[in-house]
Amino acid sequence: MVTTTALEEELIAIAGSVPDPELPVLTLRELGVLRAVRLRGEDAVDVELTPTYTGCPAIEAMSLDIERALHEHGIREVTVRTVLSPAWSTDDITPEGRRKLREFGIAPPRVGTRSGPVSLELGPTRALTQEPDPVRCPHCGSADTELLSRFSSTACKALRRCLACREPFDHFKEL
């Protein structure tokens, strides 16, 4: 078990308050990508950051924004390290982050209920079958939605359309 000091908790709050560069409505802490901030000496820290997927182009911007925020707080040396294990999961998004996504017009990922290996199925590009846990429209709340594209403005999101209000919307995919 790793314990954190009061100063480390303060620095986690500062680093965690940095907005995500692709979804500025969320902070890095709400997105669940900030893993740890550890003091190394009096004014140096190591930060652990896990990308939403390997090769995420936003990780460099996240690192620079964290460094800037901690430097502004008086930390002289900031080292941001990318940590791939344990892998980030959409289950790491906080309830507050899910609420903010919905209010921003992005359907949040459904909460995972399984653990262990996950079977994957290849399917058509348009989902016309009813899903057991439907993606709800963030505009009207209808569960009558369809998948238009498995990818949207970022690889983390899919493009869907509500069949009730006819509005297209992004869905933050479950990982």
Side-chain angles (χ1 to χ4, degrees), residues 2 19 25 30 35 41 71 80 89 105 112 123 125 127 135 144 146 151 158:
V2 177
V25 67
E30 292 165 341
R35 299 295 185 177
H71 285 311
V80 179
S89 159
T125 56
V135 175
D144 192 13
E146 69 176 344
F151 298 98

Side-chain angles (χ1 to χ4, degrees), residues 79-125:
T79 303
V80 179
R81 192 167 54 96
T82 300
V83 177
L84 300 178
S85 179
W88 179 85
S89 159
T90 50
D91 291 342
D92 295 331
I93 299 175
T94 66
E96 177 69 5
R98 292 171 187 276
R99 182 190 63 76
K100 286 182 174 180
L101 282 172
R102 191 175 304 106
E103 288 179 1
F104 193 62
I106 298 173
R110 294 165 286 196
V111 177
T113 56
R114 292 179 263 162
S115 62
V118 176
S119 63
L120 297 175
E121 296 178 23
L122 299 177
T125 56

Side-chain angles (χ1 to χ4, degrees), residues 63-81:
S63 298
L64 292 173
D65 290 346
I66 287 172
E67 288 177 22
R68 181 190 39 76
L70 293 175
H71 285 311
E72 288 174 1
H73 192 71
I75 302 298
R76 181 185 50 82
E77 184 180 331
V78 178
T79 303
V80 179
R81 192 167 54 96

Side-chain angles (χ1 to χ4, degrees), residues 1 12 21 28 66 85 109 111 127 131 136 156 160 165 167 169:
M1 178 173 189
I12 287 171
L28 297 183
I66 287 172
S85 179
V111 177
E131 298 175 57
R136 294 197 170 274
C156 304
R160 299 188 72 94
C165 72
E167 289 292 325
F169 63 93

